[in-house]
């Protein structure tokens, strides 16, 4: 259940960042190296925050071999 | 003998260059990397019964030349960078709507521009060979000097720089236990394992850094945080693919990372599936060996897991058969089986039963019984 909750939160966070990039017309400017760097950094931070969300929300449970 | 022992480990560098050439030549050659993967599976299956010991001279010295093998491993970093550059070049052409036509360079004809179909081939080829190249990231993670950084950089090309710390300080210390995300318990399939192991190793690496920085009174949100630094090593790849193709570029890099990490986790899956360790030191019985000849040479002896986990800092060319648990087939053949979980479970059951009977300690048998 916590894993599903984590994946849902990760999806929402990714969608928000995706929408923000679209809103700022990132898809029209990616060939500009400055834009590409900012977009790349935004995507990397999105990925790292996604990992962090998973660590905190899913917790230890997915790694336990048996239900205690 | 010396030449033979050292040259036999050059299959991946050689085939990686062929995969790169295929993407550069373009057209249907973009699929060469995928075709080579299929060819390797056939060769591995045909040679599954050939098992060779490590080669030593009459004084017991290995024929392996350390300087040469390390030079090759270090050189694989630029090779994998070039692999990403050529893929980015094809994505750039695709998104720039470059007309598809034939040209020639030094007498070799190649295709300018690319179709969507062949771009998929180039992306899959890149992902597969970036994933197979992870064997060098693995080997160098056991090096305490500059090799460790090279390992981090190689892994960063696949967005998995956290692996280097997690592999050495988690996988090798907690092997066969639920604390090691890279050990797959019985019943888990390769797809679930790929996700859990990747996330679990990154989590370990994050926690390691958080604790280290906390002891120094620093926040985890810090450029000294090697988990953050590891992801930043991936930034040049992301910027390159964003610049080359926008959304198409991001989709291609995402595919490369997924394929490469899936292969990495498949190796972890095959190396330890279902094995259990309760306490005490890691022993040969806590890993599966895959040491058929093609697997040994192709994967630079990474299949000699039993010896590797007991002598973690031993050079790969010195690892030997220690008569530990052995699937009896190579990694390529076994990988195909793992892709079909019900088939894999049937295949592996007899090996697990044998392990429970011949290798497991009393406490390990108790845990094994809980799985059934």
């Amino acid at each position: 259940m916590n894993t599903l909750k984590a994946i849902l939160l990760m999806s929402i966070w990714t969608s928000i960042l995706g929408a923000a990039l679209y809103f700022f017309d990132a898809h029209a400017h990616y060939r500009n190296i400055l834009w590409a760097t900012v977009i790349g950094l935004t995507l990397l931070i999105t990925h790292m925050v996604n990992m962090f969300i998973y660590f905190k929300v899913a917790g230890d449970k997915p790694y336990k071999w048996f239900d205690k | 003998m010396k030449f033979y022992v050292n040259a036999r480990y050059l299959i991946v560098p050689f085939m990686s260059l062929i995969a790169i050439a295929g993407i550069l030549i373009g057209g249907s050659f973009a699929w060469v990397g995928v075709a080579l993967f299929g060819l390797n599976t056939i060769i591995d299956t045909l040679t599954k019964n050939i098992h060779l010991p490590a080669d030593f001279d009459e004084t017991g010295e290995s024929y392996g030349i350390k300087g040469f093998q390390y030079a090759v491993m270090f050189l694989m970093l630029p090779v994998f960078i070039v692999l990403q550059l050529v893929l980015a070049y094809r994505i750039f052409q695709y998104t720039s709507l470059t007309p598809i036509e034939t040209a020639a360079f030094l007498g070799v004809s190649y295709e300018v521009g690319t179709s969507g179909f062949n771009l998929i081939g180039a992306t899959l080829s890149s992902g597969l060979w970036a994933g197979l190249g992870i064997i060098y990231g693995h080997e160098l993670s056991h090096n305490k000097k500059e090799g460790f950084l090279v390992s981090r950089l190689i892994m960063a090309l696949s967005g998995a720089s956290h692996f280097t710390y997690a592999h050495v300080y988690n996988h090798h210390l907690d092997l066969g236990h639920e604390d090691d995300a890279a050990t797959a318990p019985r019943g888990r399939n390769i797809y679930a394992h790929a996700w859990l192991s990747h996330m679990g190793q990154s989590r370990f690496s994050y926690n390691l850094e958080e604790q280290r920085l906390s002891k120094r009174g620093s926040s985890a949100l810090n450029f000294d945080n090697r988990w953050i630094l590891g992801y930043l090593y991936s930034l040049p790849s992301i910027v390159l693919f964003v610049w080359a193709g926008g959304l198409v570029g991001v989709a291609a890099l995402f595919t490369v990372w997924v394929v490469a990490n899936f292969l990495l986790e498949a190796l972890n899956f095959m190396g330890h599936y279902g094995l259990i360790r309760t306490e005490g030191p890691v022993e040969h019985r806590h890993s599966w060996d895959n040491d058929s000849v093609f697997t040994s040479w192709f994967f630079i002896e990474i299949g000699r897991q039993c010896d590797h986990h007991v002598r973690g800092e031993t050079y790969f060319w010195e690892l030997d058969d220690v008569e530990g648990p052995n699937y009896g087939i190579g990694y390529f053949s076994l990988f195909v089986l793992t892709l079909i979980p019900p088939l894999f479970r049937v295949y592996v059951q007899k090996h697990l039963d044998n392990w429970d009977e011949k290798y497991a300690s009393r406490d390990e048998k108790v845990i094994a019984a809980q799985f059934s």
Side-chain angles (χ1 to χ4, degrees):
Chain A
M1 193 60 194
N2 283 350
T3 299
L4 284 179
K5 206 187 287 178
I7 291 172
L8 182 67
L9 285 171
M10 290 158 76
S11 304
I12 292 169
W13 163 246
T14 307
S15 303
I16 290 170
L17 265 294
L21 285 173
Y22 183 78
F23 178 76
F24 283 107
D25 280 342
H27 54 287
H29 301 289
Y30 64 84
R31 279 281 162 78
N32 178 316
I33 191 65
L34 199 63
W35 272 86
T37 306
V38 172
I39 296 166
L41 197 57
T42 306
L43 292 174
L44 182 66
I45 291 169
T46 306
H47 179 54
M48 291 166 73
V49 171
N50 273 334
M51 301 297 274
F52 187 77
I53 291 171
Y54 183 80
F55 302 160
K56 296 299 169 190
V57 178
D60 282 334
K61 201 154 186 295
Y63 297 95
K64 296 293 175 199
W65 287 2
F66 304 105
D67 288 327
K68 299 231 165 90
Chain B
M1 192 66 175
K2 220 166 196 173
F3 175 81
Y4 152 73
V5 168
N6 288 281
R8 69 192 184 189
Y9 298 120
L10 294 177
I11 302 173
V12 170
F14 183 64
M15 287 192 175
S16 298
L17 292 174
I18 293 176
I20 288 171
I23 297 170
L24 273 176
I25 291 169
S28 49
F29 283 101
W31 290 86
V32 158
V34 180
L36 283 174
F37 193 87
L39 177 70
N40 291 335
T41 306
I42 294 168
I43 297 172
D44 191 48
T45 306
L46 292 176
T47 57
K48 70 184 170 76
N49 291 325
I50 305 172
H51 301 267
L52 301 175
D55 289 299
F56 300 96
D57 65 18
E58 58 279 1
T59 64
E61 285 293 310
S62 168
Y63 289 110
I65 304 169
K66 184 183 166 191
F68 174 74
Q69 294 298 347
Y70 264 79
V72 171
M73 287 194 284
F74 280 33
L75 276 171
M76 288 311 286
L77 175 60
V79 168
F80 294 130
I81 291 172
V82 171
L83 183 62
Q84 290 206 337
L85 286 171
V86 295
L87 177 60
Y89 158 72
R90 284 299 178 188
I91 291 167
F92 181 89
Q93 289 184 329
Y94 180 75
T95 51
S96 303
L97 303 176
T98 306
I100 299 172
E101 50 195 42
T102 305
F105 179 73
L106 297 175
V108 178
S109 63
Y110 66 99
E111 203 167 274
V112 181
T114 183
S115 66
F117 179 72
N118 289 333
L119 189 61
I120 292 171
T123 304
L124 291 177
S125 291
S126 298
L128 287 170
W129 287 91
L132 292 169
I134 274 171
I135 54 177
Y136 298 99
H138 165 264
E139 184 64 25
L140 290 171
S141 74
H142 291 282
N143 181 280
K144 288 195 169 72
K145 296 178 185 167
E146 56 280 358
F148 195 81
L149 175 63
V150 177
S151 165
R152 296 256 287 159
L153 296 175
I154 288 176
M155 302 308 292
L157 290 170
S158 300
S161 193
H162 60 263
F163 166 88
T164 309
Y165 281 100
H167 180 76
V168 177
Y169 298 108
N170 182 202
H171 181 54
H172 269 258
L173 300 182
D174 297 320
L175 184 73
H177 191 273
E178 64 183 9
D179 287 346
D180 173 32
T183 298
R186 298 177 189 195
R188 185 188 284 174
N189 67 56
I190 193 170
Y191 305 102
H193 181 71
W195 168 267
L196 288 169
S197 183
H198 178 84
M199 301 302 271
Q201 289 177 73
S202 185
R203 178 170 172 259
F204 173 88
S205 185
Y206 174 83
N207 289 339
L208 190 72
E209 286 303 285
E210 190 181 42
Q211 285 163 17
R212 184 179 68 84
L213 292 166
S214 163
K215 279 180 194 162
R216 275 182 15 190
S218 305
S219 157
L221 204 62
N222 190 317
F223 281 116
D224 277 348
N225 184 327
R226 291 177 289 207
W227 181 81
I228 292 176
L229 205 56
Y231 281 106
L232 283 174
Y233 291 156
S234 300
L235 186 59
S237 289
I238 302 173
V239 172
L240 171 70
F241 279 82
V242 166
W243 176 81
L247 203 53
V248 174
V250 172
L253 184 64
F254 179 74
T255 306
V256 167
W257 282 15
V258 167
V259 171
N261 281 285
F262 187 76
L263 290 184
L264 165 67
E265 298 310 339
L267 287 175
N268 278 327
F269 185 80
M270 294 185 287
H272 306 285
Y273 175 82
L275 299 186
I276 298 154
R277 184 174 68 94
T278 48
E279 55 187 30
V282 172
E283 296 181 27
H284 293 145
R285 63 197 168 90
H286 295 122
S287 305
W288 295 108
D289 258 352
N290 289 68
D291 64 344
S292 59
V293 66
F294 189 72
T295 284
S296 287
W297 294 358
F298 187 96
F299 289 98
I300 57 170
E301 308 289 0
I302 203 174
R304 294 203 194 272
Q305 286 280 297
C306 300
D307 197 9
H308 170 65
H309 272 277
V310 171
R311 302 190 296 152
E313 287 169 21
T314 302
Y315 302 126
F316 68 83
W317 56 90
E318 293 178 358
L319 294 173
D320 212 345
D321 180 18
V322 290
E323 298 184 352
N326 197 319
Y327 284 120
I329 59 174
Y331 274 149
F332 279 102
S333 322
L334 189 62
F335 174 66
V336 173
L337 287 178
T338 65
L339 294 176
I340 311 162
L343 201 62
F344 173 72
R345 256 177 237 138
V346 169
Y347 175 80
V348 83
Q349 193 55 51
K350 62 179 184 290
H351 293 286
L352 285 174
D353 291 344
N354 184 54
W355 189 85
D356 291 349
E357 192 186 324
K358 291 184 181 163
Y359 293 101
S361 69
R362 199 172 55 182
D363 289 346
E364 288 162 357
K365 278 180 186 169
V366 171
I367 295 177
Q370 291 180 53
F371 279 106
S372 51

